[in-house]
């Protein structure tokens, strides 16, 4: 192990330990003796109780806005200055969302008898400030891990937050099997299913469709470099998981929320719609699956913009053999990306359907971490990213030259 790799691993472990320490520090002003009677109190009512959810929500909103607003998309792709402006806008929205959510939690805490030592307005202010500060500490910590550690800091913090509950969930399942509450065969079937699922995720996330590209001769001083060949890799899953799966329910529940405001939450039509759109209901399964499938195409078209890629190739004197530069190249790339995205969209939809199908047929285990395809995807992708970075750092000399 190289010294640089050891330093990065040590930094990452230290940062994650700091994150875990923050989840054990309760919000100031709470009666600690009362907290012990609450489940998961150290996570739910800690300085990091909001986790990275406000930041992720803000980032998703800004990314969606860039999909429909070309000006924001151009700003993001204009260079380092444009990306910094987008990052500042994301942090500003994060502040607003975190403050709103933290204020709601703090206001609710003072209504719980004997939980808050001095249930007044000052507690609400300090608790709100503490939780909002915790969000920004986690954002800063994730950036430090990405810059000085190993792996993507955001994904690592999310993964650690998921993994810490896994031993408790597994122990709970074992206890239920021993008591006869659930079948051991069902648990074995889940183990086999998740082994296969992880294998499929590894296969799909590592798969690429490579399009052959040729770059013209390049003059380097008195020398002329010959025509060079390369590949343009296209991932099967370019849309990721968070945006399609997070946004899909918004398409239905936001209009329902407005209908509830206008017609009233107890209106028969609104109540029936909410009832049929609950997790595990056939209507929810079908509609959300269609939405995830379509959103995978929409977001992939933004991430892998064929016109932008075609222009970038032209600027570097690159061509696809047998395809004319310009519009023909953009059309060729659009067809290639669309066909590849069909597989990726089916893959994302299938992962999203896992808890839905378990709930619909009553074959799930009573712990959401174990039956969540999104969590499995995040964990596997984080592990693959760490593996890639460890290999790259191991093969890089201190001067930054590859071995």
């Amino acid at each position: 192990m190289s010294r640089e790799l050891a330093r990065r691993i040590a930094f990452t472990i230290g940062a994650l330990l700091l994150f875990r320490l923050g989840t054990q520090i309760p919000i100031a002003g709470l009666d600690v003796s009362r907290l012990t009677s609450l489940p998961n109190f150290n996570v739910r009512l800690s300085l990091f109780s909001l986790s990275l959810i406000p930041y992720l929500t803000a980032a998703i909103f800004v990314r969606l806005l860039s999909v429909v607003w070309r000006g924001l998309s151009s700003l993001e792709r204009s260079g380092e200055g444009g990306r910094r402006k987008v990052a500042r806008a994301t942090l500003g929205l994060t502040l607003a969302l975190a403050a709103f959510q933290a204020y709601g939690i703090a206001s609710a805490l003072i209504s719980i008898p004997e939980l808050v030592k001095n249930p007044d307005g000052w507690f609400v202010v300090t608790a709100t400030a503490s939780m909002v500060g915790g969000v920004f500490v986690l954002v800063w910590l994730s950036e430090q891990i990405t810059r000085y550690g190993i792996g993507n800091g955001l994904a690592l913090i999310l993964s650690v937050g998921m993994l810490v509950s896994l031993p408790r969930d597994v122990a709970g399942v074992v206890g239920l099997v021993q008591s006869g509450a659930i079948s051991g065969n069902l648990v074995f079937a889940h183990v086999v299913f998740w082994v296969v699922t992880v294998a499929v995720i590894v296969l799909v996330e590592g798969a690429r469709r490579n399009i052959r590209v040729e770059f013209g001769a390049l003059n380097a001083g008195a020398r002329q470099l010959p025509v060079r060949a390369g590949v343009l890799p296209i991932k099967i899953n370019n849309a990721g998981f968070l945006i399609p799966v997070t946004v899909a329910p918004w398409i239905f529940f936001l209009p329902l929320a407005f209908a509830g405001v206008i017609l009233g939450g107890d209106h028969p039509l609104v109540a029936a719609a909410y009832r049929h759109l609950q997790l595990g209901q056939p209507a929810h399964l079908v509609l959300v699956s269609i939405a995830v499938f379509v959103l995978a195409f929409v977001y992939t078209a933004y991430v892998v913009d064929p016109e932008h890629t075609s222009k970038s190739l032209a600027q570097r004197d690159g061509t696809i053999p047998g395809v004319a530069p310009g519009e023909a190249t953009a059309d060729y790339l659009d067809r290639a990306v669309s066909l590849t995205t069909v597989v990726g969209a089916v893959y994302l939809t299938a992962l999203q359907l896992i808890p839905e199908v378990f709930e619909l047929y009553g074959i799930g285990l009573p712990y959401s971490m174990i039956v969540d395809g999104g969590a499995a995807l995040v964990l596997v992708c984080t592990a693959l990213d760490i593996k890639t970075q460890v290999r790259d750092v191991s093969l890089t000399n201190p001067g930054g030259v590859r071995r």
Side-chain angles (χ1 to χ4, degrees):
M1 180 186 295
S2 66
R3 181 177 298 180
E4 174 65 13
L5 179 58
R7 184 192 66 80
R8 285 179 171 270
I9 292 176
F11 182 90
T12 303
I13 293 175
L16 293 178
L17 288 175
L18 182 61
F19 159 63
R20 289 301 302 159
L21 176 64
T23 61
Q24 307 301 311
I25 302 175
I27 300 170
L30 297 179
D31 188 348
V32 180
S33 61
R34 286 277 298 163
L35 290 178
T36 56
S37 63
L38 300 176
N40 299 329
F41 73 92
N42 55 334
V43 176
R44 296 175 184 270
L45 301 178
S46 70
L47 295 178
F48 295 158
S49 57
L50 297 184
S51 186
L52 286 163
I53 300 303
Y55 179 73
L56 289 174
T57 305
I60 290 173
F61 180 81
V62 171
R63 188 57 59 91
L64 286 176
L65 191 60
S66 65
V67 172
V68 299
W69 183 16
R70 188 173 293 272
L72 183 58
S73 176
S74 301
L75 179 65
E76 192 172 17
R77 291 172 173 168
S78 62
E80 186 63 27
R83 286 191 290 271
R84 287 180 179 175
K85 292 179 180 179
V86 174
R88 284 196 294 268
T90 303
L91 290 176
L93 184 57
T94 300
L95 177 61
L97 292 173
F100 177 77
Q101 189 174 357
Y103 177 79
I105 294 175
S107 300
L109 289 177
I110 62 176
S111 63
I112 301 177
E114 301 180 1
L115 179 61
V116 180
K117 294 180 179 179
N118 297 304
D120 53 17
W122 180 245
F123 168 79
V124 173
V125 173
T126 56
T128 300
S130 299
M131 287 185 280
V132 171
V135 172
F136 281 87
V137 168
L138 287 181
V139 172
W140 174 82
L141 196 61
S142 67
E143 292 176 349
Q144 302 309 303
I145 294 175
T146 302
R147 184 176 303 174
Y148 302 111
I150 288 290
N152 181 283
L154 193 66
L156 268 173
I157 289 177
L158 290 175
S159 298
V160 169
M162 298 172 187
L163 287 173
V164 292
S165 64
L166 191 57
R168 182 180 64 249
D169 291 347
V170 172
V173 171
V174 172
L176 290 175
V177 172
Q178 292 175 342
S179 66
I182 58 176
S183 168
N185 292 331
L186 176 63
V187 175
F188 178 75
H190 272 266
V191 172
V192 174
F193 172 82
W194 282 113
V195 169
V196 174
T197 301
V198 169
V200 171
I201 292 174
V202 172
L203 177 65
V204 173
E205 293 300 322
R208 301 287 188 275
R209 177 177 180 178
N210 293 325
I211 298 177
R212 188 164 171 264
V213 179
E214 290 183 350
F215 295 91
L218 179 65
N219 293 322
R223 299 169 53 196
Q224 185 179 43
L225 300 178
V227 174
R228 298 154 294 147
V231 294
L232 180 64
I234 299 176
K235 291 181 62 177
I236 290 180
N237 175 28
N238 275 295
F241 186 82
L242 283 178
I243 289 185
V245 174
T246 302
V247 176
W250 295 0
I251 298 176
F252 311 106
F253 286 110
L254 285 180
L256 271 180
F258 284 113
V261 172
I262 297 174
L263 301 176
D266 56 349
H267 191 278
L269 291 177
V270 176
Y274 271 114
R275 186 170 59 253
H276 287 293
L277 288 177
Q278 295 300 311
L279 181 69
Q281 295 296 321
H284 185 275
L285 187 148
V286 172
L287 292 176
V288 173
S289 298
I290 293 174
V292 169
F293 189 87
V294 173
L295 285 169
F297 275 90
V298 173
Y299 190 60
T300 298
Y302 166 77
V303 175
V304 188
D305 187 346
E307 293 185 5
H308 178 76
T309 306
S310 175
K311 292 178 181 178
S312 298
L313 283 175
Q315 292 172 356
R316 294 169 174 79
D317 198 19
T319 59
I320 299 175
V323 181
E327 186 175 345
T329 297
D331 291 340
Y332 179 87
L333 291 174
D334 185 54
R335 288 193 300 273
V337 171
S338 297
L339 292 174
T340 306
T341 304
V342 171
V343 180
V346 171
Y347 159 76
L348 284 179
T349 304
L351 286 178
Q352 180 268 334
L353 281 176
I354 291 174
E356 296 265 5
V357 173
F358 286 172
E359 181 73 18
L360 181 63
Y361 292 100
I363 57 174
L365 296 177
Y367 300 98
S368 59
M369 244 307 295
I370 301 180
V371 293
D372 191 344
L377 179 59
V378 171
L379 292 173
V380 172
C381 289
T382 302
L384 293 175
D385 187 38
I386 292 174
K387 175 187 173 182
T388 301
Q389 290 198 29
V390 167
R391 183 186 58 199
D392 290 345
V393 174
S394 299
L395 296 177
T396 303
N397 290 319
V401 180
R402 298 277 291 184
R403 296 175 184 173

